[in-house]
Structures are given as structure tokens and as C-alpha cells.
Amino acid sequence: DEQRQSAGVIAPPPQQLPPPTKLAKAASEVNGGGSLTAPASRAPRTADEFARAWRRTCGDDDALKTQFLFDFPLDAFESVFKVEIGLDALRDFARLIRSRVERDENCVERAASILCALTRCGCFRAHLRLAGSATATAALETLRLAKPSEAVECARQAWGGAETEKVDGDECF
């Protein structure tokens, strides 16, 4: 380095690795290391644990929230939110999913899979009715872009029919 500097060549600063992102740090906390999609013994098991990880990981950053949501294992939605998916969470999820699909249509199949998984969560129909038509519309617009399948059709019916359905099977009220 001294020889390069004396010859008039300025040595570049030593390369430093960028600091880990907030999402990577939180993924490590939540999953005991690794990415959000990696099998984890410490993944959120309840809606409260999910909410804490969501707040700690993402704060108010919609990009981090969206990535967290898209990285969350599909089969975990139903078990994490088996008692109840909160009204605010449902609104946020539908809004973030729609926003992501508007920016990147390549993720529409994953988005549709998440929307399908959400229909199996506790209190889904009751909270969708309370969430209002904008929430259902955001989900339905996303589902219309997905490849036709039995699961997508089932989700379309759930997201589209919740406003007019009675809530008999939903024990939230």
C-alpha cells in the first residue's frame, strides 16, 4: 500500500461489508438464524408473536412489511392466526399485497397463495366485512391476475362473498 501511495496511486479504502439489514437481523431473531423462509424453531406461533416480530422487524416501513409477509411460510398463516386475524392486519396484508403486485406482476402467484391462506384464518369473514370494500377490492384485483385454480377460485369467493354473507360459522361476534 505504501508503494502504491508513493507511486501516486491512491489505494482504495479497505472493503467493508454493508451492515446487515433490519429485516435480516429480525429474521435471525425470529427464526433462530437464517432467512424468513428457512425452517425455524422460533418462528411466530401466535398472532401476538407475529405482531411483535412484525413491529420489531418492520416498524412503519411498508417495503419491509411486504417482504416479511411474502417470506412468511404459507402453511403458518392458518396456525398463527387460528384464533383470529386482526382487522388491522387483514387491511394491511391486502393493501401491501396489492401494492407489491402493482410493482411486480411476477409475484402474483405468491400473492394469490397468501390471500388464499388468509381465508382460512380465524374470524376472516367477520373482519373482512368490517374492513370494508377497499380491502376486499384490493384482494380481488390481485386474485384476478392469478392463474385460474381451485384455490384461487375459492379465495375469490371468500374475499368477494364476505360482505354479503351472514357470519354464522364465524365465532367472533
Side-chain angles (χ1 to χ4, degrees):
D1 283 295
E2 287 179 20
Q3 288 176 344
R4 291 178 62 178
Q5 286 177 346
S6 65
V9 177
I10 298 174
Q15 221 164 26
Q16 296 178 352
L17 295 174
T21 66
K22 190 174 182 182
L23 183 61
K25 283 181 184 177
S28 182
E29 283 178 26
V30 170
N31 289 330
S35 74
L36 288 171
T37 55
S41 59
R42 296 187 56 217
R45 291 178 299 219
T46 66
D48 287 339
E49 288 179 10
F50 181 93
R52 275 192 299 280
W54 175 268
R55 279 191 309 272
R56 194 176 304 134
T57 303
C58 308
D60 292 330
D61 187 327
D62 279 354
L64 289 174
K65 286 180 178 180
T66 303
Q67 192 61 48
F68 188 96
L69 185 60
F70 274 71
D71 285 346
F72 198 71
L74 287 176
D75 58 349
F77 281 102
E78 187 176 4
S79 62
V80 167
F81 297 106
K82 66 182 167 198
V83 174
E84 173 180 25
I85 183 164
L87 179 59
D88 290 337
L90 189 62
R91 284 181 177 146
D92 268 355
F93 293 175
R95 176 183 61 80
L96 293 167
I97 290 167
R98 180 63 191 150
S99 177
R100 170 83 180 262
V101 169
E102 285 174 349
R103 289 188 321 272
D104 178 11
E105 284 193 19
N106 293 324
C107 70
V108 73
E109 297 308 318
R110 175 67 180 182
S113 296
I114 295 168
L115 292 170
C116 290
L118 293 174
T119 66
R120 296 185 296 275
C121 295
C123 296
F124 169 79
R125 292 184 301 159
H127 285 183
L128 181 57
R129 283 187 31 236
L130 294 173
S133 61
T135 300
T137 299
L140 290 168
E141 287 173 355
T142 301
L143 290 166
R144 281 189 200 104
L145 297 172
K147 293 177 188 168
S149 72
E150 189 174 315
V152 168
E153 185 53 36
C154 182
R156 279 187 189 136
Q157 289 175 9
W159 283 92
E163 291 185 335
T164 57
E165 279 183 19
K166 289 171 60 178
V167 191
D168 290 340
D170 216 341
E171 299 176 12
C172 293
F173 294 85

